[in-house]
Amino acid sequence: GIQVEQSPPDLILQEGANSTLRCNFSDSVNNLQWFHQNPWGQLINLFYIPSGTKQNGRLSATTVATERYSLLYISSSQTTDSGVYFCAVPPPSNYQLIWGAGTKLIIKP
Amino acid sequence: KAGVTQTPRYLIKTRGQQVTLSCSPISGHRSVSWYQQTPGQGLQFLFEYFSETQRNKGNFPGRFSGRQFSNSRSEMNVSTLELGDSALYLCASSLRETSEQFFGPGTRLTVL
């Protein structure tokens, strides 16, 4: 089945820094989602991005479907950006999401 | 528009008991999926329902079951609880099977 790998697994930054999180997937996908899981466990939708580039405030994402990867950019990090970032993809003809292991981001004040 | 709601938010049970978790999807969403999240295994797919039909099931024992009602609300049931069932159970809804999924706040189950 499809494999999803995220890197780096952990990232510690100072407030104000920029970061790039990567998601690689092993097979063609019809869509890809990025989520932020806060300390209380809530998964917050960041991007639904099968291909191309999207921006939302300080966050942006790019998916290159032909090369099977997606990047999440966080600029001018704030302490509230801390948490775990997941990417997830649906396998073909299958009603579920396959998840990466996540990147744990800690932003220090 | 209200988001996905899950009840209860927290549960403490003992081994051997059974538990029922509830999920109400976003209004108009007909697909509901359930996931289990544990520190060791990450996020694992349990099952997905659309129009009261289970269309896909993950690799979990038969103790895990679910159903969906005509109003798209869904329940999952775990019988004969084991310590390893302690986890955060997340429900997601989407308009269609291939569209963006939105998650509820989860139910944190602790089995003692």
Side-chain angles (χ1 to χ4, degrees), chain B residues 21-68:
Chain B
L21 312 182
S22 180
C23 172
S24 292
I26 293 171
S27 177
H29 285 195
R30 297 170 64 190
S31 173
V32 174
S33 300
W34 289 88
Y35 295 85
Q36 181 197 65
Q37 185 177 27
T38 59
Q41 297 297 317
L43 278 143
Q44 301 286 319
F45 171 74
L46 281 157
F47 25 65
E48 188 266 351
Y49 288 88
F50 185 87
S51 293
E52 303 178 65
T53 300
Q54 185 185 92
R55 299 190 299 185
N56 197 17
K57 186 173 174 17
N59 189 25
F60 280 83
R63 300 184 297 106
F64 291 80
S65 63
R67 59 178 175 169
Q68 187 180 33

Coordinates of all heavy atoms in Angstrom, one line a residue, chain B residues 21-68:
Chain B
L21 N -19.1 5.4 21.2 CA -18.7 6.7 21.0 C -19.6 7.3 19.9 O -20.0 6.5 18.9 CB -17.2 6.8 20.5 CG -16.2 6.1 21.4 CD1 -14.8 6.3 20.8 CD2 -16.3 6.5 22.8
S22 N -19.9 8.6 19.9 CA -20.8 9.2 19.0 C -20.1 10.3 18.2 O -19.3 11.0 18.7 CB -22.0 9.7 19.7 OG -22.9 10.3 18.8
C23 N -20.5 10.4 16.9 CA -20.0 11.5 16.1 C -21.1 12.1 15.2 O -21.9 11.3 14.6 CB -18.9 10.9 15.1 SG -18.4 12.0 13.8
S24 N -21.2 13.4 15.3 CA -22.2 14.1 14.4 C -21.4 14.9 13.4 O -20.6 15.8 13.7 CB -23.1 15.0 15.2 OG -23.9 14.3 16.1
P25 N -21.6 14.6 12.1 CA -20.8 15.2 11.0 C -21.3 16.7 10.8 O -22.4 17.1 11.3 CB -21.1 14.4 9.8 CG -22.4 13.8 10.0 CD -22.6 13.6 11.5
I26 N -20.6 17.4 10.0 CA -21.0 18.7 9.5 C -22.2 18.5 8.7 O -22.4 17.5 7.9 CB -19.9 19.3 8.7 CG1 -18.6 19.6 9.6 CG2 -20.3 20.6 7.9 CD1 -17.4 20.1 8.8
S27 N -23.2 19.4 8.9 CA -24.4 19.4 8.2 C -24.2 19.2 6.7 O -23.5 20.0 6.1 CB -25.3 20.6 8.5 OG -26.5 20.6 7.7
G28 N -24.9 18.2 6.1 CA -24.7 18.0 4.6 C -23.7 17.0 4.2 O -23.6 16.5 3.1
H29 N -22.8 16.7 5.2 CA -21.7 15.7 4.9 C -22.3 14.3 5.1 O -23.0 14.0 6.1 CB -20.5 15.9 5.9 CG -19.7 17.0 5.5 ND1 -18.4 17.2 6.0 CD2 -19.9 18.1 4.7 CE1 -17.9 18.3 5.5 NE2 -18.8 18.9 4.7
R30 N -22.0 13.4 4.2 CA -22.6 12.1 4.2 C -21.6 11.0 4.5 O -21.9 9.9 4.8 CB -23.3 11.8 2.9 CG -24.5 12.7 2.7 CD -25.0 12.6 1.3 NE -25.6 11.3 1.0 CZ -26.0 10.8 -0.2 NH1 -25.8 11.6 -1.2 NH2 -26.5 9.6 -0.3
S31 N -20.3 11.4 4.4 CA -19.2 10.4 4.7 C -18.7 10.6 6.1 O -18.3 11.8 6.4 CB -18.1 10.5 3.6 OG -17.0 9.7 4.0
V32 N -18.6 9.6 6.9 CA -18.0 9.7 8.2 C -16.9 8.6 8.3 O -17.2 7.4 8.0 CB -19.1 9.5 9.3 CG1 -18.4 9.4 10.7 CG2 -20.1 10.6 9.2
S33 N -15.8 9.0 8.8 CA -14.7 8.1 9.0 C -14.2 8.1 10.4 O -14.3 9.2 11.1 CB -13.5 8.4 8.1 OG -13.8 8.4 6.7
W34 N -13.7 7.0 10.9 CA -13.2 6.9 12.3 C -11.7 6.5 12.2 O -11.3 5.7 11.4 CB -13.9 5.9 13.1 CG -15.3 6.2 13.4 CD1 -16.5 6.0 12.7 CD2 -15.8 6.9 14.6 NE1 -17.6 6.5 13.3 CE2 -17.2 7.0 14.5 CE3 -15.1 7.3 15.8 CZ2 -17.9 7.6 15.5 CZ3 -15.9 7.9 16.8 CH2 -17.3 8.1 16.6
Y35 N -10.9 7.1 13.1 CA -9.5 6.9 13.2 C -9.1 6.7 14.7 O -9.7 7.3 15.6 CB -8.7 8.0 12.7 CG -8.8 8.2 11.2 CD1 -9.9 9.0 10.7 CD2 -8.0 7.6 10.3 CE1 -10.1 9.2 9.3 CE2 -8.1 7.8 8.9 CZ -9.2 8.6 8.5 OH -9.4 8.7 7.1
Q36 N -8.1 5.8 14.9 CA -7.6 5.7 16.3 C -6.2 6.3 16.3 O -5.4 6.0 15.4 CB -7.5 4.2 16.6 CG -6.9 3.9 18.0 CD -6.5 2.5 18.2 OE1 -5.6 2.0 17.5 NE2 -7.2 1.7 19.1
Q37 N -5.9 7.0 17.3 CA -4.5 7.6 17.4 C -3.9 7.2 18.7 O -4.4 7.4 19.8 CB -4.5 9.1 17.3 CG -3.1 9.7 17.3 CD -3.1 11.2 17.2 OE1 -4.1 11.9 17.5 NE2 -2.1 11.8 16.6
T38 N -2.8 6.5 18.7 CA -2.0 6.1 19.8 C -0.5 6.6 19.6 O -0.1 6.8 18.5 CB -2.0 4.6 20.0 OG1 -1.4 4.0 18.8 CG2 -3.4 4.1 20.2
P39 N 0.2 6.8 20.7 CA 1.6 7.2 20.6 C 2.4 6.3 19.8 O 3.3 6.7 19.1 CB 2.0 7.3 22.1 CG 0.8 7.5 22.9 CD -0.3 6.7 22.1
G40 N 2.2 5.0 20.0 CA 3.0 4.0 19.3 C 2.6 3.8 17.8 O 3.5 3.6 17.0
Q41 N 1.4 3.8 17.5 CA 0.9 3.4 16.1 C 0.5 4.6 15.3 O 0.2 4.5 14.1 CB -0.3 2.5 16.2 CG 0.1 1.1 16.8 CD 1.1 0.4 16.1 OE1 1.1 0.3 14.8 NE2 2.1 -0.2 16.8
G42 N 0.5 5.8 15.9 CA 0.1 7.0 15.1 C -1.4 6.9 14.8 O -2.2 6.3 15.5
L43 N -1.8 7.5 13.6 CA -3.2 7.5 13.2 C -3.5 6.3 12.3 O -2.9 6.1 11.3 CB -3.5 8.8 12.5 CG -3.7 10.0 13.4 CD1 -3.2 11.3 12.8 CD2 -5.2 10.2 13.6
Q44 N -4.5 5.5 12.8 CA -4.9 4.3 12.0 C -6.4 4.4 11.7 O -7.2 4.7 12.5 CB -4.6 3.1 12.9 CG -3.2 2.9 13.3 CD -2.3 2.5 12.2 OE1 -2.6 1.6 11.4 NE2 -1.1 3.1 12.2
F45 N -6.7 4.1 10.5 CA -8.0 4.1 10.0 C -8.8 2.9 10.5 O -8.4 1.8 10.5 CB -8.0 4.0 8.4 CG -9.3 3.8 7.8 CD1 -10.2 4.8 7.7 CD2 -9.7 2.6 7.2 CE1 -11.5 4.6 7.1 CE2 -10.9 2.4 6.6 CZ -11.8 3.4 6.5
L46 N -10.0 3.2 11.0 CA -10.9 2.2 11.6 C -12.0 1.7 10.5 O -12.0 0.6 10.1 CB -11.6 2.7 12.8 CG -10.8 2.6 14.1 CD1 -11.3 3.6 15.1 CD2 -10.8 1.2 14.7
F47 N -12.8 2.7 10.1 CA -13.8 2.4 9.1 C -14.4 3.7 8.6 O -14.2 4.8 9.2 CB -14.9 1.5 9.6 CG -15.2 1.4 11.1 CD1 -15.7 2.5 11.7 CD2 -15.0 0.3 11.8 CE1 -15.9 2.5 13.1 CE2 -15.2 0.2 13.1 CZ -15.7 1.4 13.8
E48 N -15.1 3.5 7.5 CA -15.8 4.7 6.8 C -17.2 4.3 6.4 O -17.4 3.2 6.0 CB -15.0 5.1 5.5 CG -15.5 6.4 4.9 CD -16.5 6.2 3.8 OE1 -16.7 5.0 3.3 OE2 -17.1 7.2 3.3
Y49 N -18.1 5.2 6.6 CA -19.5 5.0 6.3 C -20.0 6.1 5.4 O -19.6 7.3 5.5 CB -20.4 5.0 7.6 CG -20.2 3.8 8.4 CD1 -19.2 3.8 9.4 CD2 -21.0 2.7 8.3 CE1 -19.0 2.7 10.2 CE2 -20.8 1.6 9.0 CZ -19.8 1.5 10.0 OH -19.6 0.4 10.7
F50 N -20.9 5.7 4.5 CA -21.5 6.6 3.5 C -22.9 6.1 3.3 O -23.1 5.0 2.9 CB -20.8 6.7 2.2 CG -21.3 7.7 1.3 CD1 -20.8 9.0 1.3 CD2 -22.2 7.3 0.3 CE1 -21.3 10.0 0.4 CE2 -22.7 8.3 -0.6 CZ -22.2 9.6 -0.5
S51 N -23.9 7.0 3.6 CA -25.3 6.6 3.5 C -25.6 5.3 4.1 O -26.2 4.4 3.5 CB -25.7 6.6 2.0 OG -25.6 7.8 1.4
E52 N -25.2 5.2 5.4 CA -25.5 4.1 6.3 C -24.8 2.8 5.9 O -25.0 1.7 6.5 CB -27.0 3.8 6.4 CG -27.8 5.1 6.8 CD -29.3 4.8 6.9 OE1 -29.7 4.0 7.7 OE2 -30.0 5.5 6.1
T53 N -23.9 2.8 4.9 CA -23.2 1.6 4.5 C -21.7 1.8 4.8 O -21.0 2.8 4.5 CB -23.3 1.5 2.9 OG1 -24.7 1.3 2.6 CG2 -22.6 0.2 2.5
Q54 N -21.1 0.7 5.4 CA -19.7 0.7 5.6 C -19.0 0.3 4.3 O -19.2 -0.8 3.8 CB -19.4 -0.4 6.7 CG -17.9 -0.3 7.1 CD -17.5 -1.4 8.1 OE1 -17.1 -2.5 7.7 NE2 -17.6 -1.1 9.4
R55 N -18.2 1.2 3.8 CA -17.5 0.9 2.6 C -16.1 0.5 2.7 O -15.6 -0.1 1.8 CB -17.6 2.2 1.7 CG -19.0 2.7 1.4 CD -19.0 3.8 0.4 NE -18.3 4.9 0.8 CZ -18.2 6.1 0.2 NH1 -18.8 6.2 -1.0 NH2 -17.5 7.1 0.6
N56 N -15.5 0.7 3.8 CA -14.1 0.4 4.0 C -13.8 0.1 5.5 O -14.4 0.8 6.3 CB -13.2 1.5 3.4 CG -11.8 1.0 3.2 OD1 -11.5 -0.2 3.1 ND2 -10.9 1.9 3.1
K57 N -13.0 -0.8 5.8 CA -12.7 -1.1 7.2 C -11.2 -1.3 7.3 O -10.5 -2.0 6.4 CB -13.4 -2.4 7.6 CG -13.3 -2.7 9.1 CD -14.1 -3.9 9.4 CE -14.0 -4.5 10.8 NZ -13.4 -3.8 11.8
G58 N -10.6 -0.8 8.3 CA -9.2 -1.0 8.6 C -8.9 -2.3 9.2 O -9.8 -3.1 9.4
N59 N -7.6 -2.5 9.6 CA -7.2 -3.7 10.1 C -7.3 -3.8 11.6 O -6.3 -3.7 12.4 CB -5.7 -3.9 9.7 CG -5.2 -5.3 10.0 OD1 -6.0 -6.3 10.1 ND2 -3.9 -5.5 10.2
F60 N -8.5 -3.8 12.1 CA -8.8 -3.9 13.5 C -9.7 -5.1 13.8 O -10.4 -5.6 12.9 CB -9.6 -2.6 14.0 CG -8.7 -1.5 14.2 CD1 -8.3 -0.7 13.1 CD2 -8.2 -1.2 15.5 CE1 -7.4 0.4 13.3 CE2 -7.4 -0.1 15.7 CZ -7.0 0.7 14.6
P61 N -9.6 -5.7 15.0 CA -10.4 -6.9 15.3 C -11.9 -6.6 15.3 O -12.3 -5.4 15.4 CB -9.9 -7.3 16.7 CG -9.2 -6.1 17.3 CD -8.7 -5.3 16.1
G62 N -12.6 -7.7 15.3 CA -14.1 -7.6 15.2 C -14.7 -6.9 16.5 O -15.9 -6.5 16.4
R63 N -13.9 -6.7 17.5 CA -14.4 -6.0 18.7 C -14.8 -4.5 18.4 O -15.5 -3.9 19.1 CB -13.4 -6.0 19.8 CG -13.0 -7.4 20.3 CD -12.0 -7.3 21.5 NE -10.8 -6.6 21.2 CZ -10.5 -5.4 21.6 NH1 -11.3 -4.6 22.3 NH2 -9.3 -4.8 21.3
F64 N -14.2 -4.0 17.3 CA -14.5 -2.7 16.9 C -15.6 -2.7 15.8 O -15.4 -3.4 14.8 CB -13.2 -2.0 16.3 CG -12.1 -1.8 17.3 CD1 -11.3 -2.8 17.7 CD2 -12.0 -0.5 17.9 CE1 -10.3 -2.5 18.7 CE2 -11.0 -0.2 18.8 CZ -10.2 -1.3 19.2
S65 N -16.6 -2.0 16.0 CA -17.7 -2.0 15.1 C -18.3 -0.6 15.0 O -18.0 0.3 15.9 CB -18.8 -3.0 15.4 OG -19.4 -2.6 16.7
G66 N -19.1 -0.3 14.0 CA -19.7 1.0 13.9 C -21.0 0.9 13.1 O -21.4 -0.2 12.6
R67 N -21.6 2.1 13.1 CA -22.8 2.2 12.2 C -23.1 3.6 11.9 O -22.5 4.5 12.6 CB -24.0 1.5 12.9 CG -24.4 2.1 14.3 CD -25.6 1.4 14.8 NE -26.0 1.9 16.2 CZ -27.1 1.6 16.8 NH1 -28.0 0.9 16.2 NH2 -27.4 2.1 18.0
Q68 N -23.9 3.8 10.9 CA -24.3 5.2 10.6 C -25.8 5.3 10.5 O -26.4 4.3 9.9 CB -23.6 5.6 9.3 CG -23.9 7.1 9.0 CD -23.2 7.6 7.6 OE1 -23.1 6.8 6.7 NE2 -22.8 8.8 7.6

